[in-house]
Amino acid sequence: MSTFQAPKGTYDLTPPRSATFLAVREAISAPLRDSGYGYIETPGFENVELFARGVGESTDIVTKEMYTLTTKGGDQLALRPEGTASVLRAALEANLHKAGNLPVKLWYSGSYYRYERPQAGRYRHFSQVGAEAIGTEDPALDAELIILADQAYRSLGLRRFRILLNSLGDKECRPVYREALQTFLRDLDLDEETRRRIEINPLRVLDDKRADVQKQLTDAPKLRDYLCDACKAYHEEVRALLTAAGVAFEDDEKLVRGLDYYTRTTFEFVHDGLGSQSAVGGGGRYDGLSEMIGGPELPSVGWALGVDRTVLALEAESVELDLPATTSVYAVPLGEEARRVLFGVVTELRRAGIAADFAFGGRGLKGAMKSANRSGARYTLVAGGRDLAEGVVQLKDMESGEQSAVPLAEAAAELAKRLG
Ligand code: HAM
């Protein structure tokens, strides 16, 4: 029988690379945790209707990429393709917005699923860390989120990323623009599917990658010229706050995100070392989403950063994260009695909060010392029958190579002292 492999478009995270993923999740969430964002976790699947209404019936995510299933009980569910709709649903369900403390600031980390054509940086199962600030319209909140993402990437050592910024207008001005754009697009020479898109989501047509389409779009009406005064002022304030914070961004009026819920501020973080899947993160304001899923008016803003692509970006920039060895002490027993005794010492060390590991399987000294080296442990404890007869263990400093006999009863305390 042939062995199984991970499903198409997925991959496993295994040591040592998996440690980088953990560190990236940690680095992205740290600035959020320090800025008043509370942790939220929602199910990996939701009622399919939530995404259809929230993310939008005109998006590829909903029409082509959702993993949907019917349960034995007849419920229509979908594996979550993104986190925003779920987080807002959960916040509404728990009445977090009624606790009198707006904005409700939440962060999350988890797996997301999209049935996309797999390629480098694009997977069917991927991982995001995200943040949502619910219930407040304030340009400082938009700026805060962009600044925190910038801070997270910088803390990881990334440099070759850029921030693209745009405003998509609001429910006053966007419909006017949409109509003007539709009128313009209807006169162009476009294929059937693109013509359909003009009627459902004309802004997405601007995002078409094909050169013959782009050529026809040069004179398309610009959203910038249609923004109402309130949207213009809001956007200028976001820009000013970012500039004051020293966060560089590029205005990109072609930035149309692949989800329908956005209003006003939208942004994307792109990395120049990643080829075509260059977006390492993205987000924006979604003032109408709550009402779209049956809630009250709750203007909100958020982002999600892709963990997989952030790791690829680190690799593209040859950034080595400074990941300290997880094991401080490695115990190598020689013989049955030593195995029992040292296993006891390891347990004692662990209970005292010292990271310790053990040479399992009764291997010889040479092989066990190789494992001790590989573990990155600062100290090794070695003991054989003769040591035990004398009531000592050999304590080896793996950095200096120095070795000394320490009374068995004092080994744990001595290590605790040396490790500070
Ligand atoms: P998104 O732009 O669809 O936004 O996804 C955010 C990030 O997730 C992307 O920039 C990318 O790094 C990563 N990502 C998306 N799809 C894949 C894939 N197939 N393979 C690998 N990585 C991927 C959202 O999901 C919104 N919920 C963000 C948001 C939060 N907006 C407001 N609040």
Side-chain angles (χ1 to χ4, degrees), residues 38 104 106 109 134 198 209 224 241 282 300 315 362 367 369 372 383 410:
V104 177
L106 302 165
S109 172
I134 298 165
I198 295 174
K209 301 284 183 285
R224 197 179 40 197
L241 289 166
S300 308
E315 289 167 0
M369 285 311 286
E410 286 161 30

Side-chain angles (χ1 to χ4, degrees), residues 186-228:
R186 283 186 196 121
D187 283 341
L188 302 182
D189 177 23
L190 297 164
D191 59 277
E192 227 12 74
E193 200 190 327
T194 312
R195 295 203 147 278
R196 258 198 308 276
R197 187 167 291 160
I198 295 174
E199 304 312 318
I200 311 169
N201 192 348
L203 271 73
R204 288 293 286 173
V205 179
L206 299 178
D207 207 22
D208 202 305
K209 301 284 183 285
R210 290 169 296 182
D212 59 313
V213 178
Q214 278 304 326
K215 215 167 64 203
Q216 300 186 66
L217 293 175
T218 8
D219 294 329
K222 305 231 180 308
L223 181 51
R224 197 179 40 197
D225 301 329
Y226 284 77
L227 288 185
C228 60

Side-chain angles (χ1 to χ4, degrees), residues 238-256:
V238 174
R239 295 176 77 256
L241 289 166
L242 291 177
T243 304
V247 170
F249 58 87
E250 296 166 24
D251 293 307
D252 181 358
E253 54 181 24
K254 284 227 177 89
L255 179 68
V256 189

Side-chain angles (χ1 to χ4, degrees), residues 61 82-84 108 114 116 121-123 126 128 131-132 257 259 261-262 279-284 286 302-306 309:
I61 295 181
E82 63 105 42
T84 309
Y108 52 93
R114 293 182 194 174
E116 296 197 76
R122 188 162 72 193
Y123 312 105
F126 58 97
Q128 291 183 342
E132 313 292 348
R257 308 256 307 124
L259 306 95
Y261 48 61
Y262 291 111
V280 286
Y286 48 94
W303 51 241
L305 309 189
R309 288 186 196 166

Side-chain angles (χ1 to χ4, degrees), residues 334-335 337-338 382-394 405:
L334 304 170
E337 196 195 345
V382 187
R386 204 183 315 151
D387 298 307
L388 295 182
E390 291 171 18
V392 299
V393 291
Q394 302 296 327

Side-chain angles (χ1 to χ4, degrees), residues 292-319:
M292 268 148 47
I293 63 169
E297 191 183 338
L298 283 173
S300 308
V301 57
W303 51 241
L305 309 189
V307 176
D308 310 76
R309 288 186 196 166
T310 302
V311 172
L312 292 175
L314 288 170
E315 289 167 0
E317 285 198 44
S318 304
V319 176

Side-chain angles (χ1 to χ4, degrees), residues 113-148:
Y113 308 86
R114 293 182 194 174
Y115 189 75
E116 296 197 76
R117 200 170 46 76
Q119 64 178 82
R122 188 162 72 193
Y123 312 105
R124 292 181 171 175
H125 164 266
F126 58 97
S127 159
Q128 291 183 342
V129 174
E132 313 292 348
I134 298 165
T136 304
E137 187 187 287
D138 183 341
L141 201 53
D142 308 41
E144 165 176 289
L145 278 159
I146 296 171
I147 292 167
L148 292 176

